[in-house]
Structures are given as structure tokens and as C-alpha cells.
Amino acid sequence: VLFLHPWLEWGQAYFHRRGRLEAVRSAGYHALTLELPGLRSSAPPVGFPDLDVAAGLLALASRWPGLPLFVWGVSAGGYWAHPPLARRGGDAGPPVRAAFFEDVSPHLFEWSWRVAPLRRPAFALYRRAFPRAYAFLDARRHAVALRLDGCAYVSGELDAGVRPADTALLAGLAGGAARVVPQAGHLGAIKRDPDGVIELALATFERALSSAR
């Protein structure tokens, strides 16, 4: 399982809490975390972070060759996982069987528009100046191209940046399950219902394994 952290200064250390790593290891999975570029001691960004996610998947596949691959992405980590998971063809990288996403927005700038209203002029300028990049950043375009044996999205009812309707939409496009945790804000679903979130993630991975048996 490749764990992809949210955009917080803790980076991959984010997963040292809330029991995700312990849960997948207890269930018999290996786990790998990576540090997205620009945080802590990681290298400066080169392109969009989807390239780093793709590199992480290659590292995971080479470390445990022959084993099925899974992704557990939270917020920015889950968002940037969508492009590489949607790619198909010779350069698509190793296949991923299932993915579990927490607090993922359909679009980086739509999330920013809601949570950082003072920067809206800059967001609008980016959309007009870089239409192709803006379109690439639309996770809905990638979600509809996902070909996974298991997929699920979780978010919080009170998340201002990722609305319940956004979670349901992404899940519907990806052909996966959606769950909204009551009274939870951004990154709060795992805090309010850790057992439920972890149980859904493990069930999503197990469903993918069962489909291949």
C-alpha cells in the first residue's frame, strides 16, 4: 500500500498517527510512505506531484515485485494520485488494484476558491492563462478513467473545501463507494470515525483481491 500524505508540514510523518499504517500491516499488507516535493527535507518540485506519485508506485513495485499494489491517499496525496492511476498504455507504470481516498477535491482551484477567497483573482487568472493545465488539474477527468477493482472516497460533512456532493461525484465517476462522516471537517473523518474509515479502506482492498480469485 502506497500512502500519500496531505499537504502538511509533517509530510509522510502524518501517517505515524491515526492507526492507518498499523491497520494495513496487521491485515498482512506491506506499507510505503513517500514525501511529496517541497516539504521538509524533500527535493524542490519538478512539474506536478503526480510524477512523484508515479515514481512512488514504481518504487513500491520494485520493492515487493509480484504483489498487488494499492493506494491510500489523503487530501493532496489522494488528489495527485488520480492522474497516474488513470493513465494507461506503455508508460502508465505498474497497475494498481484498488485505491482509497480521504478528503479529495475534484479540482485544486475549486477547493482553493472556497477556502482562500482573497486569492480568487489569481485563481481566475490561472484558469484563463493556462487552460490546458487547468483542465489537467480536474480530478473528475481522471476519476472517470480509473480502472480499479476496488475504490472508495471518504470525506467530512463539514468540510468547506470538499463538499459531500464532491465526494459522491468522484466516487460515482470512478465506480466506487462514497461515505461522508457526520460532523467532520477537512481531515476530520479519520478523527471522528477512525474504525469506520479504516474498516472501509481494508474492505476496499480486500474486495479487489477477492475479484481476482
Side-chain angles (χ1 to χ4, degrees):
V1 180
L2 178 65
F3 283 89
L4 301 167
H5 62 81
W7 198 256
L8 296 172
E9 61 182 4
W10 312 319
Q12 63 191 43
Y14 173 81
F15 292 111
H16 292 174
R17 302 179 62 196
R18 308 298 177 190
R20 298 178 184 87
L21 292 175
E22 294 82 356
V24 298
R25 288 169 176 159
S26 296
Y29 298 89
H30 298 288
L32 178 69
T33 62
L34 61 77
E35 194 106 302
L36 293 176
L39 292 175
R40 300 203 309 175
S41 59
S42 61
V46 178
F48 289 136
D50 64 298
L51 301 176
D52 301 275
V53 174
L57 289 171
L58 287 172
L60 186 67
S62 63
R63 181 170 296 189
W64 292 293
L67 293 183
L69 305 182
F70 304 90
V71 166
W72 190 327
V74 181
S75 191
Y79 176 84
W80 289 113
H82 277 70
L85 292 182
R87 291 182 192 125
R88 295 187 295 277
D91 61 347
V96 173
R97 298 292 303 278
F100 185 72
F101 301 111
E102 297 178 51
D103 307 293
V104 172
S105 172
H107 199 292
L108 175 64
F109 282 98
E110 292 178 16
W111 182 88
S112 302
W113 186 274
R114 289 192 285 269
V115 302
L118 294 180
R119 298 182 181 180
R120 286 180 178 179
F123 303 148
L125 176 62
Y126 186 99
R127 182 173 187 174
R128 291 194 296 269
F130 305 102
R132 291 184 62 187
Y134 192 91
F136 175 78
L137 294 173
D138 192 336
R140 289 164 293 222
R141 292 172 175 256
H142 304 294
V144 75
L146 295 181
R147 297 294 182 269
L148 301 169
D149 295 323
C151 182
Y153 292 78
V154 168
S155 65
E157 178 188 26
L158 304 181
D159 191 334
V162 182
R163 300 166 301 186
D166 298 329
T167 299
L169 176 59
L170 285 175
L173 292 172
R179 182 178 179 192
V180 175
V181 177
Q183 300 300 309
H186 194 62
L187 303 182
I190 190 71
K191 299 176 184 177
R192 293 200 63 90
D193 186 17
D195 293 338
V197 171
I198 290 172
E199 180 181 353
L200 179 57
L202 295 179
T204 301
F205 298 159
E206 179 59 30
R207 187 178 306 112
L209 290 175
S210 298
S211 68
R213 290 170 184 162

